[in-house]
Amino acid sequence: LLQGISLTAWRKLGQVKINSGETAQNYVIGKLLQHVPEALEIAHDFPSIDEARGVNLPRLSAELKKIDESIALLQELIEDENQNFPAPSHEVETSQSKALGNLTRFQQELSKYHEEAKKRLDLALSDFSEVCRYYGESYPPMDPELFFGEVSSLVRAIQAVTANSSSKNRRKAVAT
């Protein structure tokens, strides 16, 4: 879609009627369809709009913070246990030291997955922010549900105008 018209502006154009009775949004889409049809290929840019609408980035961030706190608490408990029950001096491993070793490995593995999840969320937030900027919006306040709702609405308008235009072209071809 051509840069310069934000998604919010597209929605507002859909609320304004012009002299012909159609919306200003449909009029602009029709003109773009006639002169720059490739500018309307937004539907191909967002094949999974409905799935994307359900992503709640703030909730994901909050959940990762809770997990971070839980990992820190687990680490603290492991350190306390290591101080209270030092490793046996002989080579025989006790059930308690074995359990503590397993718990330490689990905590390390959990930390590794948590760090990967944080990196991916940071990347998703950065990518989403970039997409918002490209379409004339900003994150925040724009969130995926609102953003992809606007995109979905615009895609439906483009599809309707395209179908209407194709129908008119077929009627003209039949009439001649």
Side-chain angles (χ1 to χ4, degrees), residues 39-55:
L40 298 176
E41 294 178 357
I42 189 172
H44 305 293
D45 294 342
F46 296 98
S48 304
I49 292 174
D50 292 331
E51 292 86 356
R53 280 182 81 171
V55 174

Side-chain angles (χ1 to χ4, degrees), residues 119-135:
K119 286 178 188 173
R120 289 181 183 209
L121 179 61
D122 288 345
L123 182 60
L125 288 168
S126 174
D127 288 348
F128 181 67
S129 182
E130 191 175 314
V131 168
C132 284
R133 268 192 311 278
Y134 180 82
Y135 286 98

Side-chain angles (χ1 to χ4, degrees), residues 10 13-14 18 22-31 157-158 160-161:
W10 277 109
L13 286 173
I18 59 174
E22 68 182 328
T23 65
Q25 182 185 60
N26 287 355
Y27 176 80
V28 172
I29 290 170
K31 289 300 180 186
I158 291 169
V161 171

Side-chain angles (χ1 to χ4, degrees), residues 27 32 37 40 47 78 103 124 144 165 169 175:
Y27 176 80
L32 287 171
L40 298 176
I78 291 170
L103 194 55
S165 177
N169 289 341

